[in-house]
Amino acid sequence: MSAFDHLMSGFAVALTWKGLFYCFLGCFWGTIVGVLPGLGPLAGMVLLLPLTYGLDPATGIIMLTGIFYGAMYGGSTTSILVRIPGEAASVVTCLDGYEMARRGRAGPALMIAAVGSFIGGTASVLGLMLVAPPLARVMLQIGPPVEVVLMLMALCVIAFISGGSRLKTAAMIVLGLMVGTIGLDKLTGVPRFTFGNLGLADGLSFTALAIGLFGISEILLNLEKSEAIKAIRPRLRDLIPRWNDLKESAPAIGRGTVVGFLFGIVPGVSHVVSTFVAYAIEKRFSKHPEQFGKGAIAGVAGPETANNATTGTAMIPLLGLGIPSIPATAILLSALTIHGVSPGPLLFTENPQVFWGLVASMYVGNAVLLVLNLPFVSLFVNLLRIPYGWLVPAILVISVIGVYSINFNTADIWIMTISGGIGYLLRKLGYEMAPLLLALVLGDRLEEQFRTALTMSGGSYATFADYSALIVIATVAGLLLLLQGFAWAFGYSKVIADQAERT
Amino acid sequence: MLPDQSTPQEADGQGAWARPFPVRLGEAIVALALLASALFVVWQAALLPFGRVGLPGPGFFPFALGIALGLLALAILYGIWRSGPGIGEVVFLGHRDVLLTLLALAGVALAFERLGAYVALGTFAAFLLLLVARSAPWRVLLGASLGMVAVWLFFGLMLGVRLPAGELWPQLLEPTAELPSEPSSDQPSGQQ
């Protein structure tokens, strides 16, 4: 079958009423969490993760991915209308987007952000479709040692580039790997840290931990901020941009697509980095750099496009290699694993409908989001008027039911509550939860492959530095250094990422 | 993410329960907790089959991770010690709404199977609407009731999730059902 035939079979999955409904639901919820300041894509995904357990793998993953890229779209709305970024990747959009809104040009800013997001998002899906299958074929040729090297590299890069203290991030990674060892040892069946409790044989519930560490802690942190939000309200007829807006935005959208696509592969904070780099590039290329920060439309178009162009690329390591590079794809990995689907090389042979259904749904979802984010933008802006205190019980009730319905065990509600409290305290003290989550997801496989590789090599650690492993290390390190150099050349630094995270 | 740097003014607005807490002290407590966890894991991992360095057993990976976490915790503690004396930055802990929400969640975990999902979640929603959202009582009642109807429609009917009906209600409705029957004269009392 050719890629075109596969894509058509994917559309057959995505365009069923069920596929469309859950794609719409994911995009809709994603836009809501993107619009609501404080609730990011990650929290939005983990909160609805349990709902996917009753669905088939393709539909479940379509919904979760819809939340991921839906939040990227929605994040720009509050950046432009309220000057509060809905999520970290929309920080840069505040600079010029809000200035445009203040000058009565909120409509064109929203329109260009949505169109740029659509183009960037669609182009990145095209990239995902073309790159992931050949990458998976390469992965089939390489064995456990290289997989171990890749996973370790992903964790090291996250420790190196994520915001805040590297020591604390490294501690969270090791803690995540350690929590992942609870339960029966996969290779020998020996119970570890279960203390005779059969309920711990499968380890601590990932969903309960993820909802607690991300969802609950985020809600608790947001409860501390009680300022009223005053949004600028755009009118539908004001959405149409002027000819000059289109002329200035078109090249920015093109450049943003390339930047987002390239930076999407960087583990950790790719979407945040890409927006800063895209903004810096637009400023460098502009004939009127002095207008940046005062309402330049290219300052909205470039970063918003880049932000959405990372979504497809960020899926490549997950679907092609089976290794998540960002926390959002770690959630997707967990969802796939729960459904018995292995992402990576086997996905394309054993469950092609999941991959191609997802790709097709992302094309559909990007179009759905364009419609949701333009004519219905006022609807989402109205959400900002709902007091946060009213949203909290609704979100928590969904979380409790979702967590309970996995194993029908109240112990999971306790795990969620306790990890929520711990996550809240750790985040107040500057510890990041994303590396912990990523390590928790990767831990099992990292250990399994590490031990398998050693068994295969007769106990020789040199297997992790053989020819193919060295090639992979050199390629990945070279690519990352190139992108880092590119980012530095345009004025991006870790300090800026820290500021974005802090916002 | 960097530590939350709330100002005292913000904390006043957050409610009277929030108290300033030195970041360095908090970091030291977390580092000590990580160190304690690391030592515990190393101890427990040492009880598992270790294997060889070349062919590791189930205890090898947790043992190595425990050592790594212990070293990282010590490095964090060293960093705190090196930064010298003084209170430094503070975070505000003990926000009223945060504490009430955590308390309510613990209550749900306790009552979920005993009282039944709808009663536990309805009470939970009402509690939060009243004390966190600070809504009027009639709104609280209406919101919690409609919320439970929505939960039943969405989770119960649409998704078919079977939520617990409550262990307490059958006992209350049929109090005699659980009572021991009249002992017969030929039955030993220990078997009742």
Side-chain angles (χ1 to χ4, degrees):
Chain A
M1 269 173 103
S2 67
F4 180 77
D5 295 330
H6 279 303
L7 185 61
M8 288 303 115
S9 68
F11 274 112
V13 175
L15 293 178
T16 55
W17 72 266
K18 204 174 166 189
L20 279 173
F21 174 74
Y22 283 100
C23 178
F24 175 81
L25 192 68
C27 292
F28 187 72
W29 174 246
T31 309
I32 290 176
V33 297
V35 165
L36 291 174
L39 265 188
L42 214 54
M45 286 170 81
V46 293
L47 288 172
L48 286 204
L49 178 61
L51 293 190
T52 63
Y53 297 162
L55 305 172
D56 59 88
T59 314
I61 211 79
I62 282 172
M63 188 178 97
L64 284 177
T65 313
I67 300 173
F68 174 40
Y69 57 81
M72 297 294 174
Y73 270 76
S76 62
T77 306
T78 42
S79 295
I80 293 168
L81 300 177
V82 199
R83 207 175 193 275
I84 297 174
E87 34 89 36
S90 302
V91 172
V92 183
T93 313
C94 288
L95 301 174
D96 287 281
Y98 185 70
E99 277 307 309
M100 284 184 73
R102 257 178 20 107
R103 292 164 192 214
R105 306 201 59 230
L110 287 167
M111 177 67 139
I112 290 298
V115 171
S117 299
F118 172 74
I119 294 171
T122 308
S124 77
V125 181
L126 193 70
L128 166 69
M129 195 177 93
L130 296 175
V131 176
L135 194 65
R137 280 195 289 276
V138 173
M139 191 67 179
L140 272 178
Q141 310 298 316
I142 56 180
V146 179
E147 211 174 315
V148 171
V149 167
L150 275 172
M151 282 190 265
L152 285 176
M153 282 195 82
L155 292 174
C156 288
V157 172
I158 286 163
F160 183 72
I161 65 170
S162 53
S165 153
R166 281 178 194 142
L167 264 182
K168 288 178 179 175
T169 308
M172 288 297 101
I173 289 174
V174 177
L175 186 66
L177 292 172
M178 221 159 75
V179 174
T181 62
I182 297 174
L184 294 182
D185 174 37
K186 291 275 186 322
L187 295 179
T188 59
V190 172
R192 296 188 295 192
F193 311 109
T194 57
F195 307 105
N197 187 340
L198 282 177
L200 287 175
D202 284 335
L204 292 176
S205 160
F206 171 80
T207 314
L209 278 172
I211 292 183
L213 290 171
F214 276 96
I216 305 294
S217 68
E218 201 150 312
I219 288 166
L220 296 177
L221 285 170
N222 285 326
L223 277 172
E224 295 183 346
K225 301 167 193 159
S226 53
E227 70 259 40
I229 292 170
K230 283 185 83 175
I232 295 170
R233 302 179 69 78
R235 286 173 301 183
L236 195 61
R237 65 169 182 269
D238 295 336
L239 286 172
I240 311 298
R242 296 190 294 235
W243 174 244
N244 262 357
D245 293 335
L246 292 175
K247 229 168 71 177
E248 281 177 44
S249 305
I253 288 173
R255 286 188 286 263
T257 302
V258 176
V259 168
F261 187 77
L262 290 175
F263 277 82
I265 208 149
V266 180
V269 287
S270 55
H271 54 303
V272 181
V273 180
S274 71
T275 55
F276 280 97
V277 174
Y279 188 80
I281 288 176
E282 289 318 312
K283 202 170 173 183
R284 187 73 61 88
F285 275 91
S286 173
K287 287 176 189 158
H288 303 286
E290 73 284 353
Q291 285 180 1
F292 276 70
K294 295 173 189 164
I297 199 155
V300 176
E304 272 306 312
T305 308
N307 168 12
N308 284 271
T310 57
T311 53
T313 327
M315 307 280 284
I316 294 174
L318 172 72
L319 299 172
L321 307 174
I323 299 171
S325 59
I326 57 170
T329 52
I331 303 284
L332 293 177
L333 172 66
S334 152
L336 285 169
T337 312
I338 285 164
H339 282 289
V341 175
S342 315
L346 296 178
L347 179 72
F348 298 88
T349 48
E350 288 176 0
N351 297 94
Q353 79 284 0
V354 174
F355 175 76
W356 293 103
L358 173 66
V359 167
S361 82
M362 285 177 83
Y363 285 117
V364 177
N366 274 295
V368 166
L369 282 164
L370 191 64
V371 176
L372 273 179
N373 279 269
L374 288 175
F376 297 108
V377 69
S378 298
L379 180 84
F380 291 109
V381 172
N382 278 334
L383 279 175
L384 297 170
R385 292 167 61 192
I386 302 175
Y388 194 68
W390 273 81
L391 291 174
V392 171
I395 296 169
L396 290 180
V397 164
I398 295 172
S399 309
V400 169
I401 297 174
V403 160
Y404 178 80
S405 60
I406 304 163
N407 298 317
F408 294 95
N409 190 349
T410 45
D412 287 341
I413 305 178
W414 279 112
I415 292 174
M416 179 189 82
T417 306
I418 293 167
S419 58
I422 292 173
Y424 163 77
L425 282 176
L426 288 175
R427 288 173 77 168
K428 291 278 284 185
L429 293 168
Y431 284 85
E432 283 199 73
M433 293 296 104
L436 193 156
L437 180 86
L438 213 58
L440 189 61
V441 169
L442 284 178
D444 247 9
R445 224 167 94 220
L446 180 62
E447 184 188 4
E448 200 181 324
Q449 299 295 62
F450 174 74
R451 286 165 61 190
T452 308
L454 280 176
T455 308
M456 283 163 62
S457 69
S460 166
Y461 279 79
T463 189
F464 299 110
D466 72 0
Y467 184 64
S468 52
L470 286 176
I471 288 179
V472 170
I473 293 171
T475 311
V476 176
L479 189 68
L480 291 176
L481 278 174
L482 198 74
L483 288 172
Q484 181 67 64
F486 188 61
W488 276 334
F490 282 96
Y492 173 81
S493 74
K494 190 170 170 289
V495 178
I496 300 173
D498 289 350
Q499 283 167 354
E501 290 283 303
R502 199 166 163 174
T503 317
Chain B
M1 207 174 93
L2 297 178
D4 176 57
Q5 315 268 308
S6 317
T7 61
Q9 289 77 15
E10 282 167 349
D12 286 344
Q14 287 169 2
W17 299 7
R19 291 283 176 271
F21 192 82
V23 170
R24 284 212 341 238
L25 179 60
E27 284 180 339
I29 292 171
V30 171
L32 284 172
L34 289 175
L35 185 62
S37 314
L39 291 174
F40 179 75
V41 166
V42 167
W43 168 48
Q44 286 294 314
L47 302 175
L48 294 164
F50 191 81
R52 288 187 284 117
V53 175
L55 288 170
F60 178 85
F61 207 63
F63 187 85
L65 290 172
I67 299 280
L69 187 65
L71 290 175
L72 285 165
L74 286 174
I76 294 170
L77 281 171
Y78 176 69
I80 296 165
W81 175 73
R82 254 189 56 184
S83 62
I87 292 174
E89 295 160 352
V90 292
V91 286
F92 284 83
L93 293 178
H95 189 283
R96 174 187 176 276
D97 293 348
V98 171
L99 293 180
L100 287 174
T101 306
L102 279 173
L103 188 75
L105 275 170
V108 167
L110 272 176
F112 202 71
E113 283 182 342
R114 289 187 182 87
L115 294 181
Y118 294 102
V119 175
L121 289 174
T123 314
F124 169 72
F127 178 85
L128 290 182
L129 287 173
L130 192 68
L131 295 174
V132 175
R134 297 168 182 85
S135 301
W138 71 268
R139 282 188 176 183
V140 169
L141 276 177
L142 189 70
S145 312
L146 287 177
M148 286 311 101
V149 172
V151 164
W152 174 72
L153 282 172
F154 186 69
F155 288 98
L157 282 185
M158 256 182 80
L159 297 178
V161 177
R162 292 192 64 175
L163 294 171
E167 297 158 355
L168 197 67
W169 307 120
Q171 290 171 22
L172 285 176
L173 293 172
E174 293 174 52
T176 51
E178 294 293 306
L179 289 176
S181 56
E182 196 81 5
S184 60
S185 55
D186 56 349
Q187 199 177 21
S189 57
Q191 288 180 1
Q192 285 170 40

